[in-house]
């Protein structure tokens, strides 16, 4: 997976089909402008729309090492070519429930069967369903590069544009902590069934660190973490007891998250408080509802 999708000069197209990760990195090093492609659900949409003309393609379909997952020091090491359909299965849901829930809602079956975790990350579409979950889990990206050593990038850094894949680099794996605690993913759409998110919320409990982590997707270019709201509600949780919160506290958390992610506009010149447009106010209420319900289910 690469963030680079340049327009090609008027020359012959190149296609490489490596069988190993090393071969894929070597192909990218030989043609740094090449674009890795796995499921192609986003890439081909851009090509068909005339928005992208990749200089070359490096197909990742033969890289079995990127299509599964393994355990590593209390973490799950997820291959970048893991499909949404594979993440939807019960064995994966037992591992990382919120990510499985997000994968199940990622689109119709043909999209879930082709679309990959790495593609979702690299495309970084605001409505990407897995992104708020990865942000709440504080996942780390393992990047392979031509120097042979590779490097690690916090997922939040890539999504915020603070770090990007360099020419010749490939997103190989995603390392996710296994918290063995409740976690939820909810989203609002414009219709029933799998559809693009209008707003989404992931809530993750971390009993070891006594943290509640929340990430809101689709309302901004990247997932938003309402850190003050997280710290406030974590201070209310009885981590050694039932962990439940009363409805008023859950509602207050939802409002806190909604205000943090969609704040009131600055006062006007006369000091009058700014007013949100009705559609934006409705979105804030939607975020508040998702956050309230997500935390309530996690604590239930």
């Amino acid at each position: 997976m690469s963030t680079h999708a340049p327009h090609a000069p008027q020359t012959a197209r190149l296609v490489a089909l490596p069988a190993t990760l090393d071969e894929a990195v070597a192909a990218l090093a030989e043609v740094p402008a090449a674009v890795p492609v796995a499921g192609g659900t986003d890439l081909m949409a851009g090509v068909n729309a005339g928005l992208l003309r990749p200089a070359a393609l490096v197909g990742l379909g033969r890289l079995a090492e990127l299509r599964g997952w393994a355990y590593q020091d209390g973490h799950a090491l997820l291959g970048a070519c893991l499909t949404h359909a594979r993440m939807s299965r019960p064995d994966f849901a037992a591992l990382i429930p919120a990510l499985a829930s997000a994968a199940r809602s990622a689109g119709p079956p043909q999209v879930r069967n082709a679309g990959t975790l790495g593609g979702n990350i690299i495309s970084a579409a605001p409505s990407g369903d897995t992104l708020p979950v990865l942000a709440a889990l504080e996942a780390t990206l393992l990047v392979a590069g031509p120097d042979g050593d590779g490097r690690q990038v916090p997922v939040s850094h890539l999504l915020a544009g603070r770090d990007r894949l360099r020419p010749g680099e490939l997103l190989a794996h995603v390392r996710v902590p296994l918290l063995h605690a409740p976690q939820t993913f909810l989203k609002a759409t414009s219709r029933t069934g799998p559809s693009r998110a209008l707003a989404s919320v992931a809530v993750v409990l971390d009993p070891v660190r006594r943290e509640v982590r929340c990430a809101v997707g689709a309302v901004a270019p990247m997932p938003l973490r309402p850190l003050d709201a997280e710290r406030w509600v974590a201070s209310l949780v009885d981590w050694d007891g039932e962990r439940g919160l009363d409805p008023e506290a859950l509602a207050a958390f939802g409002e806190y998250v909604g205000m943090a992610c969609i704040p009131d506009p600055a006062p006007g010149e006369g000091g009058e408080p700014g007013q949100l447009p009705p559609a934006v106010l409705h979105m804030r209420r939607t975020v508040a509802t998702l956050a309230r319900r997500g935390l309530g289910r996690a604590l239930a």
Side-chain angles (χ1 to χ4, degrees):
M1 313 296 167
S2 169
T3 53
H4 303 279
H7 287 251
Q10 297 300 317
T11 58
R13 302 296 176 89
L14 303 175
V15 178
L17 297 173
T20 67
L21 179 59
D22 289 341
E23 290 180 7
V25 171
L28 288 172
E30 183 177 354
V31 185
V35 178
V37 57
T41 53
D42 291 320
L43 176 65
M44 295 312 299
V47 170
N48 292 337
L51 301 176
L52 298 174
R53 288 184 295 164
L57 297 176
V58 177
L60 306 180
R62 297 181 179 179
L63 275 62
E65 59 196 292
L66 301 189
R67 294 202 301 269
W69 70 81
Y71 299 98
Q72 183 186 74
D73 300 326
H75 292 72
L77 197 64
L78 311 180
C81 293
L82 200 60
T83 65
H84 291 91
R86 186 65 189 89
M87 291 188 289
S88 301
R89 297 182 186 176
D91 57 344
F92 190 92
L95 193 71
I96 314 174
L99 195 55
S101 179
R104 283 193 293 269
S105 69
Q110 60 268 31
V111 171
R112 297 198 302 272
N113 288 334
T116 62
L117 177 64
N120 217 194
I121 295 168
I122 296 304
S123 297
S127 59
D129 290 319
T130 66
L131 303 186
V133 178
L134 295 174
L137 290 168
E138 297 182 344
T140 301
L141 310 180
L142 306 187
V143 178
D147 58 6
D149 295 330
R151 62 192 182 99
Q152 301 183 19
V153 179
V155 68
S156 59
H157 288 196
L158 183 107
L159 297 177
R162 295 169 58 187
D163 201 342
R164 297 183 182 275
L165 295 194
R166 302 158 188 164
E169 288 188 331
L170 182 72
L171 172 56
H173 295 90
V174 181
R175 190 169 63 195
V176 177
L178 296 175
L179 301 178
H180 304 293
Q183 49 189 250
T184 60
F185 171 80
L186 296 173
K187 78 176 188 179
T189 67
S190 59
R191 59 184 176 85
T192 58
S195 181
R196 186 179 300 274
L198 299 176
S200 60
V201 172
V203 176
V204 171
L205 303 186
D206 188 341
V208 174
R209 294 163 61 180
R210 301 196 170 207
E211 291 180 348
V212 174
R213 296 204 290 273
C214 175
V216 177
V219 301
M222 60 169 288
L224 302 177
R225 288 279 302 277
L227 299 178
D228 288 341
E230 292 179 0
R231 287 189 286 264
W232 173 77
V233 80
S235 70
L236 302 181
V237 176
D238 180 7
W239 294 101
D240 297 318
E242 294 296 326
R243 294 187 191 169
L245 292 177
D246 59 47
E248 291 78 11
L250 293 175
F253 172 72
E255 295 296 331
Y256 204 159
V257 172
M259 288 285 293
C261 295
I262 306 177
D264 287 329
E269 294 182 1
E272 294 294 327
Q275 298 293 324
L276 289 174
V280 179
L281 185 59
H282 175 72
M283 184 60 65
R284 177 199 280 175
R285 291 170 179 161
T286 299
V287 169
T289 299
L290 294 176
R292 171 177 57 81
R293 290 177 178 173
L295 179 61
R297 294 182 185 183
L299 293 172

